[in-house]
Amino acid sequence: EIVMTQSPATLSVSPGERATLSCRASQNVRSNLAWYQQKPGQAPRLLIYGASTRATGVPARFSGSGSGTDFSLTISSLQSEDFAVYYCQQYYNWPPLTFGGGTNVEIK
Amino acid sequence: QVQVIESGGRVVQPGGSLSLSCATSGFTFSDYNMHWVRQAPGKGLEWLAFISYDGINTYYRDSVKGRFTISRDDSKSTLFLQMNSLRFEDTAVYYCAKDHERYWYYFDSWGQGTLVTVSS
């Protein structure tokens, strides 16, 4: 099973600042990596797939990068609606499909 | 637009059974692979089960293999999860999720979830 590790667990950021979230895979997953945003009481929302392709309707301030085992999600200028938990997921080698433990982006 | 609506969650005793449903609309259900994903209270996301668009292939995570069964009814655009021998650790919100594209196993549409509580 591929283990996905996200860091940090919590990221405190002021509105308008840049946030960078990390995701590391225990094995090479090539570019088969997705990112999701989840707000309290809501279902996850797909943000990024293929490590760097924004899903439909996702603002350009969200960008993904990386390949192999190291990935990052950057939010260039945090808006109030961006404070949420973010998960990465690998879909290269499965079952099982695996998620990281999440990064909680909170208001500083 | 795509709609995904789970139902069937409730309180159930350990060892009991429960069947979840996921009604979908807004896309051609029979063209897409589908999944179940769960989230224990205050925890992260955990993939559970997959069924291919044609219903031929199913996969499960080890902890539910032999206890849970995923199935689909294309005539009703509905996905199911039959859960048997439920354990305390199965307590979670259960989400139904649709693959974005065939052969690419990430999820572009999710339901709002249905809560399963295993408690005596």
Side-chain angles (χ1 to χ4, degrees):
Chain A
E1 173 175 333
I2 296 178
V3 177
M4 307 301 291
T5 303
Q6 290 186 243
S7 62
T10 301
L11 187 60
S12 298
V13 187
S14 299
E17 288 189 340
R18 180 186 189 92
T20 301
L21 289 63
S22 294
C23 174
R24 175 165 289 177
S26 62
Q27 303 172 30
N28 185 356
V29 299
R30 302 180 75 166
S31 293
N32 297 316
L33 192 285
W35 288 94
Y36 301 88
Q37 175 194 67
Q38 187 179 34
K39 297 179 181 179
Q42 296 186 18
R45 170 196 178 197
L46 178 66
L47 295 177
I48 301 283
Y49 60 91
S52 60
T53 303
R54 275 189 302 277
T56 302
V58 174
R61 63 181 180 273
F62 291 91
S63 62
S65 64
S67 67
T69 61
D70 290 302
F71 301 87
S72 62
L73 174 71
T74 299
I75 311 170
S76 60
S77 176
L78 271 153
Q79 306 298 302
S80 57
E81 62 266 30
D82 300 336
F83 292 96
V85 180
Y86 293 83
Y87 294 96
C88 60
Q89 177 230 331
Q90 69 82 20
Y91 50 95
Y92 178 66
N93 189 348
W94 69 288
L97 294 166
T98 50
F99 293 89
T103 291
N104 180 25
V105 177
E106 64 174 25
I107 300 175
K108 187 174 182 180
Chain B
Q1 76 278 19
V2 172
Q3 285 203 313
V4 177
I5 301 174
E6 303 92 340
S7 61
R10 61 175 174 86
V11 178
V12 61
Q13 291 191 333
S17 297
L18 196 59
S19 181
L20 305 183
S21 298
C22 170
T24 72
S25 61
F27 65 101
T28 304
F29 182 74
S30 58
D31 283 349
Y32 288 89
N33 305 320
M34 298 293 295
H35 302 254
W36 287 97
V37 177
R38 71 183 176 186
Q39 187 169 36
K43 302 297 184 183
L45 301 167
E46 180 177 65
W47 172 83
L48 290 179
F50 159 91
I51 187 165
S52 59
Y53 67 97
D54 55 7
I56 291 176
N57 295 304
T58 58
Y59 302 118
Y60 301 89
R61 75 177 305 108
D62 286 349
S63 61
V64 305
K65 204 175 295 183
R67 299 190 299 126
F68 291 10
T69 303
I70 188 172
S71 61
R72 61 191 299 155
D73 182 341
D74 289 351
S75 69
K76 297 180 179 177
S77 298
T78 300
L79 180 72
F80 302 99
L81 186 67
Q82 176 65 40
M83 303 188 293
N84 299 328
S85 303
L86 283 161
R87 306 168 180 169
F88 291 117
E89 56 265 33
D90 294 320
T91 294
V93 173
Y94 285 70
Y95 294 102
C96 164
K98 165 188 166 291
D99 267 350
H100 179 57
E101 296 178 73
R102 198 180 297 178
Y103 310 123
W104 296 104
Y105 307 101
Y106 54 90
F107 319 118
D108 68 355
S109 298
W110 301 63
Q112 83 290 347
T114 188
L115 177 61
V116 173
T117 303
V118 183
S119 174
S120 54

